[in-house]
Amino acid sequence: MTARAATKPRVLSGIQPSGILHLGNYFGAIRQHIALQDRHPGQALYFIADYHALTTLRNPEALRANVFESAVTYLALGLDPARALLFRQSDVPEVTELAWMLATVTGMGLLERAHSYKDKLANGITPTVGLFFYPVLMAADIIAYDATLVPVGKDQLQHVEIAQDMVTHFNEAYGPQDPVLVRPEPLPARAAVVPGLDGRKMSKSYGNTLPLFESGKKLRKLVGQVVTDSTPLGEPLPFATCNVVALLRLFCDPAELAQLETWYREGRRDGAPFGYGHAKMLLADKIEQLFAPARARREHFLTAEGRAEVEAVLARAAIAARALAQQTLERCRRACGLR
Ligand code: ADP
Ligand code: TRP
């Protein structure tokens, strides 16, 4: 009945099915998720949080499309099904049962203190019980797979701490000598906040995003919308405060940045005037180059054959993930006296 012996660390994270993902999502989350599959091969689990999405999305077609697009994005960007599991949250219904068990050892106060819930209320969202319950389901997601490491953005740290509290309460209630559940640790994202077109945090809720898979004229038009000051062409440009530079930093090595800084300071490149338009073209080229292989893989995943491959990856991973969750649930049921 004991919790999984602490052998290898197990990484787990959930991905909101938001549809088209942006540069902020890539540099703030996806890139780390994919890197972790190399560091913890066979022990990285990622799922698309479609149960959670029901708290905000009530359009079945859109939900299905967003889940699929999120899966395609991860696979195109290099998630390797041989090293990491990528599955749909709802393919493991055991998490909802575990959420119920955890809820019975969770004080109301713990959830009432959740920042993201309070923020949503403050923003005028009418709360449903599901929205209030969101952290319990998230804790169940983590605990069901005996995850030990949970890579998350800063906004999700408190939710992982809530999961830790639930593990403590459950183990105190049902396994004081012989812990039933494994305690997870958050792995906070180190990445800086990626600015959007308007200089605020890039976020789909601000409509200021740069998507990962745009190219050609459309991409250049979008990049053209990055807000800058009105320094005329050929004059020295402010390097430290420029939004285009903040975005270019994500793509450039130190030598390239030093070169760019010289062009900004002088307002000239190779004797010719250098302005924001040129910097934006560099940025568009960098985006196009970095994501070119992923863009091609994505195109493949959107064909009929590719779609079937994506579905097969999700289905296979769900079987493996579900087997893990079933073991945990069996321990929990026995511990509570449900068996
Ligand atoms: P959005 O703000 O567009 O709704 P989400 O909240 O769905 O994005 O974020 C998904 C993941 O991407 C989270 O881990 C979050 O921390 C990360 N992320 C989102 N936007 C940014 C950003 N501008 N900079 C860094 N990371 C980000
Ligand atoms: N709430 C997370 C987000 O908004 C997604 C999520 C759901 C998650 N369940 C999780 C993240 C479990 C980590 C672990 O980004």
Side-chain angles (χ1 to χ4, degrees):
M1 206 206 294
T2 318
R4 185 176 81 106
T7 45
K8 291 182 182 161
R10 182 169 289 155
V11 177
L12 168 128
S13 198
I15 302 141
Q16 284 277 3
S18 314
I20 302 294
L21 297 170
H22 54 73
L23 287 184
N25 299 138
Y26 177 73
F27 288 104
I30 306 175
R31 186 170 64 164
Q32 282 89 307
H33 291 167
I34 290 173
L36 284 164
Q37 76 187 2
D38 297 333
R39 243 175 292 151
H40 303 282
Q43 298 293 333
L45 283 77
Y46 300 112
F47 63 85
I48 304 168
D50 52 357
Y51 281 142
H52 276 117
L54 293 179
T55 60
T56 50
L57 187 60
R58 292 183 183 167
N59 176 336
E61 284 316 311
L63 180 58
R64 266 190 287 273
N66 287 355
V67 167
F68 186 77
E69 180 63 38
S70 304
V72 166
T73 301
Y74 267 73
L75 291 169
L77 289 168
L79 184 126
D80 175 6
R83 281 177 291 166
L85 297 180
L86 177 69
F87 57 100
R88 280 189 192 87
Q89 182 184 31
S90 61
D91 278 342
V92 187
E94 281 75 8
V95 294
T96 60
E97 183 183 344
L98 180 57
W100 175 253
M101 292 184 200
L102 294 174
T104 63
V105 297
T106 303
M108 288 289 286
L110 189 63
L111 298 187
E112 280 162 354
R113 286 192 291 277
H115 303 310
S116 82
Y117 178 69
K118 287 195 287 190
D119 288 351
K120 283 172 185 155
L121 289 197
N123 281 312
I125 293 176
T126 309
T128 59
V129 175
L131 195 66
F132 185 66
F133 204 74
Y134 188 112
V136 187
L137 182 59
M138 178 158 162
D141 289 329
I142 297 169
I143 294 166
Y145 308 104
D146 294 331
T148 55
L149 282 179
V150 187
V152 279
K154 288 197 185 69
D155 58 321
Q156 297 296 316
L157 268 182
Q158 194 197 24
H159 286 156
V160 182
E161 289 161 7
I162 291 175
Q164 291 177 326
D165 282 353
M166 290 182 189
V167 167
T168 303
H169 295 322
F170 194 92
N171 284 343
E172 273 168 3
Y174 295 116
Q177 314 299 335
D178 190 12
V180 185
L181 303 179
V182 175
R183 181 184 163 88
E185 296 298 331
L187 191 63
R190 269 174 300 150
V193 171
V194 176
L197 297 175
D198 55 2
R200 290 187 295 170
K201 172 190 182 263
M202 186 177 289
S203 170
K204 62 177 177 302
S205 26
Y206 297 150
N208 63 354
T209 63
L210 284 167
L212 305 178
F213 299 126
E214 208 50 89
S215 62
K217 272 197 189 142
K218 258 185 149 173
L219 174 63
R220 278 159 185 74
K221 200 168 162 208
L222 273 171
V223 171
Q225 292 169 23
V226 178
V227 172
T228 53
D229 67 18
S230 50
T231 310
L233 178 67
E235 295 291 312
L237 304 170
F239 185 77
T241 54
C242 176
N243 284 327
V244 187
V245 173
L247 287 162
L248 273 166
R249 280 183 197 283
L250 301 164
F251 298 87
C252 292
D253 61 29
E256 288 173 310
L257 276 176
Q259 174 75 273
L260 185 71
E261 190 169 5
T262 310
W263 295 336
Y264 262 67
R265 201 169 349 101
E266 297 173 355
R268 303 190 78 76
R269 176 176 57 182
D270 303 329
F274 179 86
Y276 289 125
H278 299 104
K280 288 177 177 179
M281 284 309 109
L282 286 177
L283 176 59
D285 290 345
K286 285 285 186 189
I287 297 174
E288 209 164 71
Q289 268 166 28
L290 182 68
F291 297 111
R295 205 164 47 245
R297 282 194 290 267
R298 178 172 178 273
E299 289 306 314
H300 166 71
F301 287 132
L302 297 180
T303 63
E305 188 195 341
R307 284 182 170 270
E309 283 172 34
V310 176
E311 289 299 340
V313 166
L314 294 175
R316 264 200 308 274
I319 291 171
R322 192 165 186 197
L324 294 175
Q326 280 169 340
Q327 288 173 20
T328 310
L329 263 288
E330 197 48 39
R331 288 198 318 262
C332 293
R333 290 188 196 117
R334 280 174 191 276
C336 310
L338 293 175
R339 286 285 151 78

